Amino acid sequence: MLQLPDSIPRMKIPVSVDESYKLCRQLIVKYSTTFYIGTLLVDKPKRKHIWAIYAWCRRTDELVDGPASAITTPETLDLWEQQLESIFAGQPLDSIDVALVDTIQRFPIDIQPFRDMIAGQRMDLYRSRYETFEELHLYCYRVAGTVGLMSTAVMGVDTSTNTAPWNCHQQPYIPTEEAITLGIAHQLANILRDVGEDARRGRIYIPQEDLARFNYTEQDLFKGVVDDRWRSLMRFQIARARQFYAKAEKGISYLSADARLPVWASLMHYSRILNIIERNDYNVFTRRAYVPQWQKLRALPAAWLRAQVL
Ligand SMILES: CC(C)=CCC/C(C)=C/CC/C(C)=C/CC/C(C)=C/COP(=O)(O)OP(=O)(O)O
């Protein structure tokens, strides 16, 4: 039995499971309406479970990225991790945890991706530079690839057509790598979109080895220099992010049929960020690569078609 520290009191949480799911939904609406609308594409019985997972991820992210992040210390994350262990031991410690406790009882969700995500937030606490792409890749796995793993556990895989009839005794293919890869691709797109915003907070996610390779310095980046060196560097980053999207796409058809549309829609939405950066001539310093609402809607029929035929 998990031993909780004295600092976390055991108590009965005074909300019902339904109320807790509502709180998760409200939290997502508050932080990202677009994301919430995306979750409406998920089949209704699974939707609230996705909210419970994303609510936990958002709260984890807020500890290091939100308005109260100035008071977050490594100990805050230690306590958050203890709260996570408690959730997986079936003991919610606050009203939003109640839904996640319910969700993990219904789906084969592993605790490790949750722990890994907290480890990703620890990286944000300690470091503001990445020497190599390998280091950045680890960060992206932790803060976003993990979401792919958690979501896939809820969305489920297609057990009907996943394997050929003569192989029906075999286990269905679980697109774990592709799920992680989609999270990483989204994170890479976000990093490229937010270069200017992150620089203003003293953060550079683009690996130092890539800056050096294109002879572009940190000082250039802080000054927001857009020249041929920067354009080449960005072309390289965008091509790499697209490779991740291409690999992720291959896993979607293995998901359960009802999960394919939301996943295609999110893939097409986030990868469009890369096109907009190109259209903005790689100026991510003073122009935000913003995908207008009508473009998100316009992409839906194409996402639907891909979900049917690919
Ligand atoms: C491909 C297969 C087999 C499965 C799909 C598995 C899934 C759903 C993967 C996607 C996981 C995911 C949603 C990761 C989060 C990525 C990310 C960078 C989110 C950014 O969130 P915000 O920071 O709120 O973004 P905005 O700043 O755009 O609001």
Side-chain angles (χ1 to χ4, degrees):
M1 179 66 195
L2 178 85
Q3 202 60 45
L4 284 177
D6 295 342
S7 50
I8 300 182
R10 282 177 174 278
M11 54 192 162
K12 174 105 179 65
I13 308 297
V15 289
S16 68
V17 175
D18 282 348
E19 282 163 353
S20 179
Y21 279 114
K22 269 193 204 139
L23 292 173
C24 295
R25 179 170 62 94
Q26 282 164 8
L27 193 139
I28 296 173
V29 170
K30 176 176 163 203
Y31 285 103
S32 175
T33 316
T34 306
F35 205 72
Y36 171 68
I37 294 170
T39 66
L40 297 181
L41 298 174
V42 175
D43 225 22
K44 196 149 188 241
K46 294 178 184 168
R47 202 178 291 163
K48 63 179 184 181
H49 302 294
I50 295 287
W51 293 338
I53 289 173
Y54 288 4
W56 184 88
C57 294
R58 173 52 69 180
R59 293 172 86 199
T60 307
D61 185 63
E62 281 293 298
L63 289 174
V64 175
D65 250 356
S69 58
I71 55 166
T72 295
T73 62
E75 290 70 38
T76 317
L77 293 178
D78 290 346
L79 277 177
W80 188 242
E81 191 154 352
Q82 285 165 16
Q83 185 162 338
L84 169 73
E85 301 284 340
S86 180
I87 291 169
F88 274 78
Q91 170 66 51
L93 294 180
D94 66 33
S95 48
I96 301 179
D97 288 352
V98 171
L100 188 54
V101 169
D102 179 67
T103 292
I104 59 179
Q105 283 166 357
R106 291 169 196 276
F107 294 90
I109 300 178
D110 187 11
I111 190 172
Q112 195 54 42
F114 292 80
R115 291 193 187 121
D116 290 344
M117 177 173 281
I118 297 175
Q121 303 304 335
R122 273 185 220 287
M123 287 171 93
D124 258 340
L125 217 52
Y126 289 120
R127 59 191 304 176
S128 54
R129 300 288 187 281
Y130 293 83
E131 278 307 317
T132 61
F133 181 66
E134 203 182 332
E135 289 175 10
L136 181 67
H137 184 270
L138 176 63
Y139 169 75
C140 292
Y141 158 70
R142 286 178 169 169
V143 298
T146 49
V147 190
L149 288 177
M150 299 168 193
S151 317
T152 303
V154 168
M155 291 187 298
V157 295
D158 184 0
T159 46
S160 61
T161 53
N162 198 329
T163 51
W166 54 88
N167 282 335
C168 61
H169 57 283
Q170 286 182 0
Q171 293 296 319
Y173 177 71
I174 316 268
T176 308
E177 272 308 310
E178 294 86 346
I180 293 175
T181 303
L182 184 56
I184 293 175
H186 286 343
Q187 188 64 29
L188 291 173
N190 259 24
I191 284 174
L192 298 180
R193 182 194 65 192
D194 296 342
V195 166
E197 196 181 312
D198 288 330
R200 286 187 279 282
R201 299 189 303 157
R203 294 187 169 278
I204 300 177
Y205 288 98
I206 294 181
Q208 299 288 307
E209 66 180 7
D210 295 343
L211 294 182
R213 185 170 160 186
F214 289 93
N215 200 20
Y216 189 87
T217 66
E218 281 199 358
Q219 288 66 39
D220 293 325
L221 193 144
F222 286 128
K223 278 194 248 158
V225 175
V226 176
D227 58 11
D228 284 346
R229 293 169 304 153
W230 175 251
R231 290 188 189 93
S232 306
L233 170 57
M234 284 298 275
R235 270 187 216 109
F236 176 76
Q237 304 295 324
I238 288 174
R240 181 154 61 195
R242 284 192 176 130
Q243 282 171 11
F244 279 78
Y245 277 119
K247 178 174 171 192
E249 281 183 9
K250 297 195 171 78
I252 302 179
S253 63
Y254 294 102
L255 291 173
S256 69
D258 58 294
R260 293 176 206 152
L261 171 62
V263 173
W264 268 116
S266 90
L267 185 149
M268 291 169 73
H269 162 60
Y270 271 95
S271 60
R272 185 156 298 121
I273 291 174
L274 303 173
N275 304 352
I276 296 178
I277 293 174
E278 287 171 335
R279 210 172 306 148
N280 289 348
D281 193 27
Y282 308 99
N283 179 0
V284 282
F285 299 105
T286 58
R287 297 187 67 182
R288 187 172 165 85
Y290 171 74
V291 183
Q293 290 294 350
W294 65 267
Q295 278 199 18
K296 290 173 198 164
L297 289 175
R298 203 184 61 175
L300 275 182
W304 181 85
L305 202 64
R306 287 180 190 201
Q308 310 308 310
V309 299
L310 291 181

